[in-house]
Amino acid sequence: DAGVIQSPRHEVTEMGQEVTLRCKPISGHNSLFWYRQTMMRGLELLIYFNNNVPIDDSGMPEDRFSAKMPNASFSTLKIQPSEPRDSAVYFCASSLGTLITDTQYFGPGTRLTVL
Amino acid sequence: AQSVTQLDSHVSVSEGTPVLLRCNYSSSYSPSLFWYVQHPNKGLQLLLKYTSAATLVKGINGFEAEFKKSETSFHLTKPSAHMSDAAEYFCVVSEKRTYKYIFGTGTRLKVLA
């Protein structure tokens, strides 16, 4: 299995621009998670989906952030407009389901720099 | 609410000596607990997990952890550190009601030659 795939791996953009991060979960996994990692705040859950439906988006910082999962094999996280404080590593993870015993498998991350 | 505390933000050991990374949790339910490792500029990789079966859990690369309910601890150990173990380690508790992962703040392990 290829694991969780994220693209791009690195993104450098200027303040005000739209940024789209992409994720392909492991085939057969029904849950997908978006995290943000910064030095100051550590790992934060932004949103998670179960069977393509957003279940909890309470971690999404503000309206500039949006996430979609149009099908079981693809999700996007969009930031519009981007700001320097959005600079972070964004991880996507997937799991079989939402049991507390289910393991989340993480992608390699997208390092976002907003100038 | 569930929480997890990693007691050391940095740990340094010499190559070939034992590793101990400490984690305490708080949970009103029987928790699931995980240890993940993150090498520089990489994603998180699962080392091991506890899901109410055996209290001593063996993971990859020689790591193991023991679930101690009386001490609310889930410390990670390895008998002999290798240079390749240098990384950041995260203790995680899975929240029963919401199935969310609650991450500790991480412990950065340094291995000295």
Side-chain angles (χ1 to χ4, degrees), chain A residues 12 41 66-67 71 107 114:
Chain A
V12 180
R41 300 172 68 92
S66 63
N71 57 61
V114 183

Side-chain angles (χ1 to χ4, degrees), chain A residues 54-66:
Chain A
I55 303 299
D56 186 340
D57 65 355
S58 59
M60 296 286 262
E62 46 198 276
D63 292 346
R64 298 185 296 107
F65 285 70
S66 63

Side-chain angles (χ1 to χ4, degrees), chain A residues 9 35 37 43 45 48 56 58 91 98-104 106-108 111, chain B residues 30 32 34 36 38 41 43-44 46 49 51 90 94-96 98-101 103:
Chain A
R9 294 293 309 276
Y35 291 90
Q37 185 178 37
L43 275 153
L45 176 66
Y48 82 92
D56 186 340
S58 59
F91 288 103
T98 52
L99 298 177
I100 65 168
T101 54
D102 283 335
T103 298
Q104 292 183 25
F106 285 77
R111 183 173 295 275
Chain B
S30 294
S32 287
F34 306 77
Y36 281 82
Q38 185 179 27
N41 301 313
L44 281 77
L46 178 71
K49 73 176 184 180
T51 57
F90 292 93
S94 183
E95 192 177 67
K96 184 171 183 176
T98 65
Y99 319 112
K100 291 182 184 179
Y101 269 15
F103 281 87

Side-chain angles (χ1 to χ4, degrees), chain A residues 61-66 78-83 85-86:
Chain A
E62 46 198 276
D63 292 346
R64 298 185 296 107
F65 285 70
S66 63
K78 187 177 293 186
I79 308 172
Q80 165 64 16
S82 58
E83 297 183 2
R85 60 193 169 117
D86 302 330

